[in-house]
Amino acid sequence: MSAARTLPILDLSRLDAGESEAVAFRAELRQATHEFGFFYLVGHGVPVELQESVIRTARAFFDLPDADKLAIENLKSPQFRGYTRVGGELTRGTVDWREQIDVGPERPAVMSGDGIADYWRLQGPNQWPAALPELRTVITRWDDELSAIGLRLLRAWAVALGADEHVFDAGFAADPATLIKIVRYPGKSRPTPRQGVGAHKDSGVLTLLFVEPGKAGLQVEKDGEWIDAPPVPGAFVVNIGELLEVATDGYLKATVHRVISPPIGSDRISIPFFFNPALDASIPVLDLPAELQAEAAGISVDPTNPIFASYGENGLKSRLRAHPDVAAIHHPDLVGR
């Protein structure tokens, strides 16, 4: 572990502070995600009261009786939505010690059939807890706020990478496939650290992570070492997913990261927001300026983790691997692919 290394901190409000500040922000954004794939984002404008509300409401959900949580268990959802009990998700075949609720866009389910891509099975309704109706209100507002931030960041990246500001817009203009996870990591580590979530890359475009203040555990891999990424008050931890690696021929790299369980006797609330385009959208591959292309290492090659250009294929790959029990119930024809 390298104690000296920390993730860079970027201030989104600089985009509104005049052209020279905007240019400097874009350059820092490009460099941070070329070098680390991760950074802290401040100046994002999400109200403090909403930040506090989303953590408070998350805790209220996990404090519900088991019967209320299991009433919306993800085993009932072909779309992998709803509540996952502790130990109910895998990363690279190993159990993650966390409980969570998965929330996606509220849309009608798509019937599978000839000519219908398998990834459309991910579209459908959410499961909301009847015992906590305010969860839907708070998370819907959270989705709206973070979607706007995600689009601002994508436009800033586009300009920083020498492309048209709106090159990524089409994939998000209609029916983006956002995903919100509301996660609680129970205390498991004493004295040996335990896996909260195993080492992995995110399968989409970008992730904005909000963590309960004062609760460490996230680690980011850099040059074979793990960098601790404890929460910065009011900040999001932002990282790119595999599709931005595809878009830039590896100039931007999706970075491996993991979460270590908190010590026994404590827990940790974490809310990652995955900003992903429509299921049938393919990420555009950018024509990078020569000086950036010279530093592009190409797309990562891992036979155990193929990267697809369309988000739907990438997203379905992740869901099937993470929740084989849901897959076996609702998608037995896809098991083993």
Side-chain angles (χ1 to χ4, degrees):
M1 182 83 62
S2 175
R5 306 193 82 168
T6 58
L7 300 180
I9 299 177
L10 277 64
D11 186 339
L12 187 62
S13 68
R14 296 175 72 192
L15 284 176
D16 299 317
E19 185 57 25
S20 63
E21 284 293 301
V23 168
F25 173 83
R26 295 186 195 107
E28 290 178 17
L29 176 68
R30 182 183 65 230
Q31 187 59 35
T33 42
H34 172 62
E35 183 178 352
F36 291 94
F38 269 80
F39 61 93
Y40 293 105
L41 185 71
V42 299
H44 44 71
V46 176
V48 172
E49 57 87 10
L50 179 57
Q51 297 175 35
E52 295 173 345
S53 179
V54 76
I55 296 294
R56 184 173 60 251
T57 308
R59 281 217 165 270
F61 173 77
F62 293 119
D63 286 343
L64 291 175
D66 286 347
D68 289 328
K69 293 186 286 188
L70 292 172
I72 60 166
E73 191 171 17
N74 68 341
L75 296 178
K76 303 174 183 178
S77 170
Q79 292 79 34
F80 302 85
R81 310 279 182 85
Y83 174 70
T84 304
R85 65 182 76 197
V86 174
E89 184 169 24
L90 306 178
T91 297
R92 291 187 174 263
T94 303
V95 171
D96 293 327
W97 290 103
R98 60 181 181 176
E99 59 177 329
Q100 64 191 33
I101 178 172
D102 284 40
V103 178
E106 194 73 49
R107 295 180 188 136
V110 176
M111 297 298 293
S112 57
D114 292 342
I116 306 297
D118 290 335
Y119 54 68
W120 286 113
R121 304 185 196 192
L122 296 176
Q123 178 169 301
N126 291 298
Q127 298 192 87
W128 297 103
L132 190 68
E134 59 266 37
L135 181 69
R136 183 170 185 170
T137 302
V138 171
I139 293 303
T140 298
R141 186 179 170 198
W142 192 252
D143 181 84
D144 290 342
E145 290 274 355
L146 270 61
S147 291
I149 293 170
L151 192 56
R152 289 201 80 194
L153 285 171
L154 281 181
R155 289 172 176 171
W157 263 306
V159 175
L161 294 165
D164 181 88
E165 180 180 16
H166 300 288
V167 68
F168 295 117
D169 284 14
F172 295 88
D175 301 331
T178 57
L179 177 66
I180 298 173
K181 285 180 174 287
I182 307 162
V183 183
R184 174 182 170 270
Y185 295 92
K188 282 285 181 182
S189 298
R190 182 188 290 170
T192 304
R194 297 287 296 275
Q195 172 176 310
V197 61
H200 68 287
K201 299 178 182 179
D202 291 346
S203 62
V205 172
L206 71 94
T207 304
L208 293 100
L209 171 69
F210 192 71
V211 179
E212 188 175 19
K215 300 296 181 75
L218 176 64
Q219 296 180 333
V220 177
E221 188 178 44
K222 173 66 174 169
D223 299 329
E225 297 183 313
W226 290 104
I227 301 173
D228 285 320
V232 169
F236 289 96
V237 180
V238 182
N239 65 281
I240 68 167
E242 292 171 336
L243 291 187
L244 275 186
E245 182 172 325
V246 170
T248 62
D249 192 31
Y251 176 78
L252 302 182
K253 281 286 187 186
T255 303
V256 173
H257 52 288
R258 67 184 183 185
V259 176
I260 302 301
S261 291
I264 290 174
S266 64
D267 65 359
R268 175 181 183 266
I269 299 294
S270 172
I271 305 175
F273 170 84
F274 302 95
F275 191 53
N276 304 313
L279 290 169
D280 59 350
S282 292
I283 202 76
V285 177
L286 306 183
D287 184 14
L288 297 177
E291 65 273 16
L292 302 185
Q293 186 62 56
E295 297 183 55
I299 300 170
S300 301
V301 178
D302 180 353
T304 68
N305 182 42
I307 299 176
F308 302 102
S310 77
Y311 172 65
E313 291 176 284
N314 246 21
L316 182 61
K317 170 195 71 176
S318 294
R319 301 284 83 196
L320 293 172
R321 290 180 171 189
H323 299 283
D325 49 357
V326 178
I329 294 169
H330 298 287
H331 311 291
D333 57 316
L334 301 183
V335 173
R337 288 195 184 182

